[in-house]
C-alpha cells in the first residue's frame, strides 16, 4: 500500500510541475489576434461584454499583452501594453471615430471604477483618425499603482478580416512620449493574420 501512496504522490508532483511549466505557453496560445510579443510579457483574454464596461457593444473578445514592467512604476515600460478588440459585426456595421472614442472612455471609466471599488472619474479622451488609424491621449487617474493623474498615449489600427467577417482594433498604450524606445518594444507586438 505504501508503494502506491509514494507513486501517487510522485505522479501528483509531476503533474503539478508540468502544469506550472507549460501554463505560460498555454495562455500565450489562447491569443487569437496576436502572433508575437516580447519575452516576459503577460497576456489576458476577456470576453465581451466586459463586466466593468458593459456599454461597449461588441460581441467578441478583448486580448491584452502587458509588457514586463506594466505594474512596476520604476520601469520605463510601466503601464505599457497592447490590447485588441475583436468583433463579429452585423451586416454593413461600421464604427467611426466617435464610437471608438466613446468605447475607450467607457473602458477607462469602468476600469477606474472597478479598481477603486466604485469611485467615479471621467477620463478625458482626445483621438484623431486618419485612414483607419488612430492616435490619441487618455488623461485619467491610474488606479493600480500610483493612484495619480496620468496621461496615456495610444496608437490604434482597425482591420476588417473579410474571410471570417471580423473587425479587429489593435491599440498600443503607454504613458511615454511616442519618441521613447518603449514604443519600439510595443510595435514588436505583432497582430496575427486574419
Amino acid at each position: 500500500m505504501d508503494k502506491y501512496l509514494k507513486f501517487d504522490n510522485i505522479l501528483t508532483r509531476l503533474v503539478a510541475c508540468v502544469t506550472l511549466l507549460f501554463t505560460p505557453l498555454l495562455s500565450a496560445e489562447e491569443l487569437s489576434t496576436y502572433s508575437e510579443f516580447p519575452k516576459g510579457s503577460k497576456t489576458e483574454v476577456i470576453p465581451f461584454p466586459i463586466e466593468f464596461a458593459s456599454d461597449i457593444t461588441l460581441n467578441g473578445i478583448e486580448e491584452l499583452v502587458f509588457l514586463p514592467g506594466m505594474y512596476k512604476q520604476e520601469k520605463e515600460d510601466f503601464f505599457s501594453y497592447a490590447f485588441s478588440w475583436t468583433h463579429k459585426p452585423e451586416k454593413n456595421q461600421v464604427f467611426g471615430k466617435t464610437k471608438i472614442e466613446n468605447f475607450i472612455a467607457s473602458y477607462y471609466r469602468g476600469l477606474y471604477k472597478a479598481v477603486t471599488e466604485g469611485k467615479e472619474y471621467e477620463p478625458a479622451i482626445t483621438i484623431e483618425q486618419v485612414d483607419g488609424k488612430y492616435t490619441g491621449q487618455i488623461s485619467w487617474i491610474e488606479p493600480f499603482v500610483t493612484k495619480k493623474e496620468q496621461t496615456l498615449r495610444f496608437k490604434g489600427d482597425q482591420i476588417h478580416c473579410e474571410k471570417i467577417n471580423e473587425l479587429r482594433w489593435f491599440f498600443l498604450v503607454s504613458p511615454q512620449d511616442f519618441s521613447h524606445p518603449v514604443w519600439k518594444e510595443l510595435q514588436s507586438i505583432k497582430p496575427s493574420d486574419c
Side-chain angles (χ1 to χ4, degrees):
M1 186 75 160
D2 285 340
K3 210 189 280 185
Y4 293 114
L5 288 174
K6 284 182 182 175
F7 176 75
D8 187 43
N9 195 11
I10 291 171
L11 184 61
T12 301
R13 287 181 183 176
L14 181 61
V15 169
C17 287
V18 168
T19 302
L20 288 173
L21 284 172
F22 290 104
T23 297
L25 294 176
L26 294 174
S27 65
E29 289 177 8
E30 290 176 14
L31 298 182
S32 62
T33 59
Y34 292 109
S35 60
E36 294 177 37
F37 43 86
K39 186 177 181 177
S41 297
K42 303 284 186 225
T43 62
E44 189 174 351
V45 178
I46 303 171
F48 285 109
I50 298 173
E51 188 176 324
F52 61 80
S54 59
D55 53 337
I56 297 177
T57 55
L58 301 178
N59 57 20
I61 58 170
E62 175 186 36
E63 295 183 347
L64 300 109
V65 178
F66 303 108
L67 292 185
M70 174 71 182
Y71 295 108
K72 298 173 184 167
Q73 180 182 359
E74 70 281 2
K75 299 290 186 179
E76 289 192 348
D77 59 353
F78 171 62
F79 226 86
S80 298
Y81 64 104
F83 69 93
S84 66
W85 290 340
T86 302
H87 173 66
K88 294 270 188 193
E90 296 174 13
K91 191 175 182 174
N92 300 322
Q93 187 177 28
V94 177
F95 294 102
K97 177 185 149 208
T98 302
K99 192 68 161 177
I100 296 300
E101 189 172 348
N102 290 340
F103 284 169
I104 290 171
S106 174
Y107 185 85
Y108 283 92
R109 181 185 323 109
L111 183 59
Y112 178 83
K113 187 174 182 176
V115 174
T116 61
E117 299 176 354
K119 291 182 182 174
E120 300 281 340
Y121 185 82
E122 189 62 38
I125 312 290
T126 58
I127 187 170
E128 292 181 24
Q129 179 185 10
V130 178
D131 297 328
K133 296 190 184 301
Y134 303 92
T135 58
Q137 291 187 349
I138 303 154
S139 298
W140 76 322
I141 296 175
E142 185 277 302
F144 293 96
V145 179
T146 67
K147 297 170 182 43
K148 295 179 181 174
E149 288 185 10
Q150 179 186 59
T151 298
L152 296 172
R153 288 146 186 87
F154 69 89
K155 294 181 179 184
D157 197 4
Q158 180 177 312
I159 297 171
H160 183 218
C161 300
E162 291 183 32
K163 284 191 292 188
I164 55 175
N165 187 35
E166 205 170 71
L167 286 176
R168 294 179 181 176
W169 291 272
F170 295 96
F171 295 94
L172 303 175
V173 181
S174 178
Q176 300 287 4
D177 287 327
F178 289 130
S179 60
H180 192 278
V182 78
W183 285 94
K184 217 174 195 180
E185 191 173 9
L186 282 168
Q187 288 166 341
S188 74
I189 301 171
K190 300 293 183 201
S192 58
D193 294 330
C194 291

